[in-house]
Each structure stands twice: as C-alpha cells, then as structure tokens.
Amino acid sequence: SQKIEQNSEALNIQEGKTATLTCNYTNYSPAYLQWYRQDPGRGPVFLLLIRENEKEKRKERLKVTFDTTLKQSLFHITASQPADSATYLCALASGSSNTGKLIFGQGTTLQVKP
Amino acid sequence: GAVVSQHPSRVICKSGTSVKIECRSLDFQATTMFWYRQFPKQSLMLMATSNEGSKATYEQGVEKDKFLINHASLTLSTLTVTSAHPEDSSFYICSANSLLGVTEAFFGQGTRLTVV
C-alpha cells in the first residue's frame, strides 16, 4: 500500500541553524510533492510544491529537494527562528494527480530554541 | 492566497446528537472540497471528497451514513456528524483547491469537536 513517512521524533535545534526534515514514500510515483506547516489547533498552510521533474525549489529561507529515485524529499529551513517552530507535513497526490486529493505524512514537529 | 473559512472552530455536543460543520471558499469557487480528520499527534486522514452537485466519495472505512456531506453550492460544503459518540471527538478540517490539477490546497482553520 502507499505509505508516506516523516521523522517521527521531534526535531530540536538552536536558532540560526538549518533544520532538515525528511519525507520518504513507498509504492508511489507522484507527479508532485507538497510541504505544509501546521500550528497547534490550526489547519495546515501551504509552503512549497515541487514537481517530479524538479530537483530543487527555493522560497526565501525554505528549500525543498525531490529525489524520485530515492523516493525522498528533504525540506530545509535555513537561519531558523523560534517562529519557525511548528509541525511540518509532506503530502502527495493520491490516485490521479488531477483530483486534488492528498495523502499526508504524520508530520515532524520542529522546535527552534532561542 | 485563497481563503477557506470553517465554522464553528469549537463545538461540544452530547452523545447521540448531530453536529454540522460548514466549510466555505470565500474568494473562489470550489467544485471539489475535502474533509479530513486529525487525532492528537497524528496526521490528517482523508475522510471524503465532497463534489458540488453530486454525492460525496468516501474513503475506505468511513461510514457515509454517519458523516453526511452536502455540497450544494460552489462555495459551501457541510459535514454533519450524526448520532455523535465520544470516539468521534477529533479535529475536523476541510480543504479546497482553487484550480483543478497541480495546485496547493487551502485549508480551513479546523473544528475541534468534543462529544460528551
């Protein structure tokens, strides 16, 4: 069955360092992969989308890589700040990529200490 | 970006009663909306796909008679939890895409349902 796995352990880093989060998937050939941020008691907020033919994508302090051979995406936050503390979810399209239906990983909680 | 509004944000109800949750796309039309459920420290689990003007499509294991979905207009989908039980207590979230195809999902702020 299709499966998405993220680091289940919380990630604690010092302010200013780079946070790296991992998303691995099996039994998928996704056309694109997305990353979302979720704060406690809130709905997820979209951060980045990367397509299968893109190796890397950047947005301000965020960088996402997508390796379809390894079936893995890495999500980096450079110069991390305490305000970056949240849960980060990766998501893949389920079934046809045109339905908009997403399957989410369990999320990794990031804690940035000042 | 596009805005999806979900209401109410919190609701407490008694066992056996029904609760309706609304999901509205405020500045775009959504022919399709999605309903998710999230238990503490777990990921979002897709419950159903809400299709405007037709029946919802439910994921395996989700009871369609218990979780009634209505998508009567291009900007509104509702989820009704019928005959609620304490095990239905969860965080319910809706989402919509402003365009079909490769695009990000816009989520509502979620509804915390507590059944007592």
Side-chain angles (χ1 to χ4, degrees), chain A residues 36 38 46 99 101 104-105, chain B residues 34 38 43 46 59 104-105 107:
Chain A
Y36 289 80
Q38 186 177 26
F46 172 78
T99 65
K101 193 159 80 168
F104 284 85
Chain B
F34 302 92
Q38 186 176 34
S43 189
L46 180 65
E59 296 299 303
E104 68 266 34
F107 285 84

Side-chain angles (χ1 to χ4, degrees), chain B residues 81-99:
Chain B
V81 183
T82 63
S83 186
H85 291 287
E87 56 265 32
D88 298 324
S89 299
S90 188
F91 191 55
Y92 292 86
I93 314 174
C94 68
S95 76
N97 297 57
S98 59
L99 295 169

Side-chain angles (χ1 to χ4, degrees), chain B residues 13-34:
Chain B
C13 71
K14 291 185 178 179
S15 286
T17 61
S18 296
V19 173
K20 181 186 283 188
I21 303 169
E22 292 187 348
C23 181
R24 292 180 186 274
S25 55
L26 295 186
D27 50 0
F28 65 99
Q29 293 181 331
T31 55
T32 304
M33 291 185 177
F34 302 92

